[in-house]
Amino acid sequence: MEYNDQMKNRVKRIEGQLRGILRMMEEDKDCKEVITQLSAARTAIDRTIGVVVSSNLVECVRNADEKGENTEELVKEAVNLLVKSR
Amino acid sequence: MEYNDQMKNRVKRIEGQLRGILRMMEEDKDCKEVITQLSAARTAIDRTIGVVVSSNLVECVRNADEKGENTEELVKEAVNLLVKSR
Amino acid sequence: MEYNDQMKNRVKRIEGQLRGILRMMEEDKDCKEVITQLSAARTAIDRTIGVVVSSNLVECVRNADEKGENTEELVKEAVNLLVKSR
Amino acid sequence: MEYNDQMKNRVKRIEGQLRGILRMMEEDKDCKEVITQLSAARTAIDRTIGVVVSSNLVECVRNADEKGENTEELVKEAVNLLVKSR
């Protein structure tokens, strides 16, 4: 699969968020602030997973439709990727 | 959207799981057992969400392709539904 | 472990939410509405898990403190229950 | 709150995981591999959240017990931190 810049930038941003969280821990910041940031990083990972799985599903369905193949299996696979990812 | 029997049966089963959890609580069952069951119900909801969103995405992409419409917005919407759901 | 009425009522309410979702599916309601409700049920399960694990942790730590036992293991166990539950 | 080395090392490791994911995306690796790694990073964040919230809860309960204060509010707060974090 090819990943576009938007996807890669998402991952770069999450990496930056984690560096920020480490700094907050080193400065003994309040537990609530640290959790809020960890939570934001978590949601950002969720979004990235959603974008990659959905984009991939759309591409695979189009390829299958062109070849006249069944797409039920593709939906199942997408669900497995989404749920494993939780 | 039309929901197939498989989707409805998923929801019925989760309802049954919750009745079982209530019974376990009334019998003062061990915390670990109750959490394991709550966790299973949670994963079952995740799967149901994944199935509904993915099936809907596939259908919408086909409709849009037929009309020659852009599908980027559809992927975004699917991701929003998936992430809101966490 | 003993479960208080608040915990049991949470589970009863989630059961009711699922009955509502089944009805929505039978009436072919919009995908977004169904996902919103599934998502609400999911968060309600998360809260129930959080309440059960946290209450149990507090009780166990008190018992361990009284006996002069180490509590590190208890925190680990709570984390395992919380994370398994995702 | 003070964060121990174990907590900080968790965050450092997740940062490293994300760098690895970015590399995989740049090499156009298979979607399943990328999702598996994103999913692992997600679980690692969940664990970190669980460790921070549980450790903080234990400390706060002990302080409250010493002062003879009620701890119900502390459990509620922990649950709010855990659920917001999903």
Side-chain angles (χ1 to χ4, degrees):
Chain A
M1 173 171 179
E2 266 182 62
Y3 303 88
N4 60 32
D5 283 350
Q6 193 208 33
M7 292 173 184
K8 290 176 201 164
N9 286 335
R10 280 178 190 277
V11 176
K12 275 183 212 163
R13 262 198 308 273
I14 305 170
E15 208 197 307
Q17 282 177 296
L18 283 158
R19 264 196 304 276
I21 292 165
L22 191 59
R23 218 174 307 122
M24 289 171 76
M25 286 184 162
E26 276 159 0
E27 295 166 358
D28 296 338
K29 290 276 191 221
D30 189 69
C31 161
K32 273 176 220 170
E33 287 176 55
V34 168
I35 296 293
T36 301
Q37 290 309 311
L38 280 167
S39 156
R42 189 180 197 274
T43 303
I45 290 185
D46 281 344
R47 283 207 162 266
T48 312
I49 290 172
V51 170
V52 172
V53 173
S54 302
S55 307
N56 185 58
L57 175 61
V58 168
E59 209 187 297
C60 292
V61 164
R62 279 203 186 120
N63 290 340
D65 279 351
E66 272 177 30
K67 299 183 201 153
E69 287 170 7
N70 193 299
T71 58
E72 225 169 279
E73 208 50 48
L74 295 170
V75 170
K76 260 190 218 161
E77 224 177 85
V79 174
N80 284 337
L81 285 174
L82 287 169
V83 174
K84 188 180 65 177
S85 75
R86 294 198 181 181
Chain B
M1 174 170 177
E2 264 182 63
Y3 303 87
N4 59 33
D5 283 349
Q6 193 207 34
M7 293 172 183
K8 290 176 202 165
N9 286 335
R10 279 178 191 277
V11 176
K12 275 182 215 165
R13 262 199 306 274
I14 305 170
E15 209 198 305
Q17 283 177 296
L18 283 158
R19 264 196 304 274
I21 292 165
L22 191 59
R23 218 174 308 124
M24 289 171 76
M25 286 184 162
E26 277 159 359
E27 295 167 357
D28 296 337
K29 289 277 192 221
D30 189 70
C31 162
K32 273 175 221 169
E33 288 175 56
V34 168
I35 296 294
T36 301
Q37 290 308 312
L38 279 167
S39 156
R42 190 180 195 274
T43 304
I45 290 185
D46 281 346
R47 283 207 160 264
T48 312
I49 290 172
V51 170
V52 171
V53 173
S54 302
S55 307
N56 185 57
L57 175 60
V58 168
E59 207 187 297
C60 292
V61 165
R62 280 203 187 120
N63 290 339
D65 279 353
E66 272 176 29
K67 297 182 200 153
E69 284 170 8
N70 194 299
T71 58
E72 225 169 280
E73 208 50 49
L74 295 171
V75 170
K76 260 190 218 161
E77 224 176 86
V79 174
N80 284 337
L81 284 173
L82 287 170
V83 175
K84 189 181 65 178
S85 76
R86 294 195 181 185
Chain C
M1 174 171 177
E2 265 181 61
Y3 303 87
N4 60 33
D5 283 350
Q6 195 208 31
M7 293 172 184
K8 291 176 201 165
N9 286 335
R10 279 178 190 277
V11 176
K12 276 182 213 166
R13 261 198 308 274
I14 305 171
E15 210 198 303
Q17 282 177 295
L18 284 159
R19 264 196 304 273
I21 292 165
L22 190 59
R23 217 174 309 123
M24 290 170 75
M25 286 184 162
E26 277 160 1
E27 294 166 359
D28 296 337
K29 290 276 190 219
D30 188 69
C31 162
K32 272 176 221 167
E33 287 176 54
V34 168
I35 297 294
T36 302
Q37 290 309 312
L38 279 167
S39 156
R42 191 180 194 276
T43 304
I45 291 185
D46 280 346
R47 285 208 159 263
T48 312
I49 290 172
V51 170
V52 172
V53 173
S54 301
S55 306
N56 184 58
L57 175 61
V58 168
E59 209 187 296
C60 291
V61 164
R62 279 202 186 120
N63 290 340
D65 280 354
E66 271 176 30
K67 298 184 200 151
E69 286 170 8
N70 194 299
T71 59
E72 225 169 279
E73 208 51 48
L74 295 170
V75 170
K76 260 189 218 161
E77 224 176 88
V79 174
N80 283 337
L81 285 173
L82 287 169
V83 175
K84 189 181 61 177
S85 74
R86 292 193 184 184
Chain D
M1 173 170 177
E2 267 182 60
Y3 303 87
N4 59 33
D5 283 350
Q6 194 209 32
M7 293 172 183
K8 291 177 201 164
N9 286 335
R10 280 177 189 278
V11 176
K12 275 182 214 165
R13 262 198 308 273
I14 305 170
E15 210 197 305
Q17 282 177 296
L18 284 158
R19 264 196 305 274
I21 292 165
L22 191 59
R23 217 173 309 123
M24 290 170 75
M25 285 183 162
E26 277 159 0
E27 296 166 358
D28 296 337
K29 291 276 191 221
D30 187 69
C31 162
K32 273 175 222 170
E33 287 176 55
V34 168
I35 296 293
T36 301
Q37 290 309 311
L38 279 167
S39 157
R42 189 180 197 274
T43 304
I45 291 185
D46 279 345
R47 285 206 159 264
T48 312
I49 290 172
V51 169
V52 171
V53 173
S54 302
S55 307
N56 185 56
L57 175 60
V58 168
E59 208 186 297
C60 291
V61 165
R62 280 202 186 119
N63 290 340
D65 280 351
E66 272 175 29
K67 297 182 200 153
E69 286 171 7
N70 195 299
T71 58
E72 224 168 282
E73 208 50 48
L74 296 170
V75 170
K76 260 191 218 162
E77 226 177 85
V79 174
N80 283 337
L81 285 173
L82 288 170
V83 175
K84 188 181 64 179
S85 74
R86 293 192 184 187

